[in-house]
């Protein structure tokens, strides 16, 4: 258990450090897709990505605390195999995203699936030091995974364009997030991260793409309400 606890902490550090040693990722380049996806409507406004600073720091604190104070805790241990996979893939994700949209999409969904597994495995105790940072991480990934999927599908001209995929995948992201938030109580940070992303999509589109902005705003309100409900259950 102790070795796995320290491996999780090490991977949290490599995950948080990846942006400092990897070429910055500001969205998929035009030459990465047959149909360039420049400013797709499902993309959140740039300011929203600042949430990564909180995610990185909170996960590092969580995993180091776990390695020092909870190395042999059976309940903490249940989250570690899933976090190890998610953080290991996440450490390489920026490099992958700069080279392949397909593999970036596949790997971000792996990150999401394992982050959700870790969230569902997290115990009620030490909530702010374990479930909360995992929830924030999984919540942002729940939005980001659909953004990547939309770029892949629209960029390859499958079925519809970027506007059409935004209309389809924003509600799909809400559906997944709502199921997780309703099922996983006492994890309002998850819903907060999803709502944060949806508000940023609203801001990004503004009055230029009013339909998408209104859709994202409505989804953000629903997600915020579910997060508030979860917060009340936590109190």
């Amino acid at each position: 258990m102790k070795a796995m606890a320290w491996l999780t902490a090490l991977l949290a550090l490599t995950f948080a450090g990846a942006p400092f040693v990897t070429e910055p990722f500001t969205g998929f380049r035009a030459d990465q897709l047959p149909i360039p996806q420049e400013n797709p409507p499902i993309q959140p406004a740039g300011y929203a990505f600042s949430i990564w600073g909180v995610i990185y720091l909170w996960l590092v604190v969580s995993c180091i605390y776990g390695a020092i104070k909870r190395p042999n805790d059976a309940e903490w241990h249940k989250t570690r195999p899933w976090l190890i996979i998610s953080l290991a893939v996440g450490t390489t994700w920026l490099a992958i995203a700069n080279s392949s949209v397909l593999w970036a999409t596949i790997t971000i969904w792996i990150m999401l699936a394992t982050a959700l597994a870790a969230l569902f495995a997290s115990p009620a105790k030490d909530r702010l030091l374990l479930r909360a940072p995992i929830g924030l991480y999984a919540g942002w990934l729940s939005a980001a995974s659909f953004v990547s999927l939309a770029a892949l599908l629209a960029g390859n001209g499958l079925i519809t364009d970027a506007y059409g995929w935004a209309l389809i995948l924003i509600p799909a992201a809400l559906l997944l997030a709502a199921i997780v938030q309703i099922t996983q109580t006492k994890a309002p940070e998850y819903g907060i991260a999803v709502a944060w992303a949806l508000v940023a999509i609203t801001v990004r589109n503004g009055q230029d793409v009013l339909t998408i902005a209104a859709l994202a705003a409505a989804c953000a309100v629903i997600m915020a309400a579910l997060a508030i409900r979860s917060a009340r259950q936590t109190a």
Side-chain angles (χ1 to χ4, degrees), residues 214-232:
L215 175 62
C219 291
V221 169
I222 294 169
M223 204 64 231
L226 292 174
I228 291 170
R229 174 178 174 270
S230 179
R232 287 174 176 169

Side-chain angles (χ1 to χ4, degrees), residues 11-235:
L11 287 170
L13 288 168
T14 62
F15 181 51
F20 296 101
V21 297
T22 308
E23 181 182 346
F25 177 75
T26 56
F28 297 118
R29 300 187 312 276
D31 63 354
Q32 286 184 271
L33 288 159
I35 303 172
Q37 297 299 295
E38 298 178 3
N39 300 318
I42 200 173
Q43 182 88 11
Y47 75 85
F49 293 89
S50 62
I51 195 174
W52 273 115
V54 181
I55 293 170
Y56 287 139
L57 179 60
W58 211 347
L59 283 174
V60 167
V61 170
S62 171
C63 294
I64 291 177
Y65 174 87
I68 295 172
K69 296 294 187 180
R70 301 286 187 268
N72 298 309
D73 190 298
E75 291 186 298
W76 274 68
H77 188 68
K78 291 177 183 177
T79 69
R80 288 174 180 143
W82 301 114
L83 275 178
I84 285 170
I85 297 171
S86 190
L87 296 174
V89 175
T91 297
T92 64
W93 190 84
L94 291 174
I96 293 170
N98 281 316
S99 62
S100 170
V101 180
L102 173 61
W103 282 106
T105 303
I106 291 171
T107 50
I108 201 171
W109 278 89
I110 293 172
M111 291 167 64
L112 170 60
T114 48
L116 288 175
L119 177 62
F120 276 83
S122 63
K125 71 175 184 180
D126 298 322
R127 196 192 74 79
L128 290 177
L129 283 165
L130 185 60
R131 181 177 293 179
I134 294 174
L136 195 71
Y137 172 52
W140 179 259
L141 287 176
S142 293
S145 296
F146 284 93
V147 173
S148 185
L149 181 60
L152 176 67
L153 296 173
N156 283 281
L158 297 176
I159 302 176
T160 184
D161 59 7
Y163 178 82
W165 280 117
L167 288 175
I168 295 168
L169 293 181
I170 290 173
L174 173 67
L175 178 61
L176 171 65
I179 292 171
V180 172
Q181 186 69 93
I182 291 169
T183 306
Q184 182 62 36
T185 58
K186 300 182 180 181
E189 295 79 12
Y190 174 84
I192 289 169
V194 177
W196 172 266
L198 289 167
V199 168
I201 294 172
T202 304
V203 171
R204 177 68 172 267
N205 287 280
Q207 294 183 346
D208 296 330
V209 191
L210 191 57
T211 304
I212 301 298
L215 175 62
C219 291
V221 169
I222 294 169
M223 204 64 231
L226 292 174
I228 291 170
R229 174 178 174 270
S230 179
R232 287 174 176 169
Q233 293 171 331
T234 302

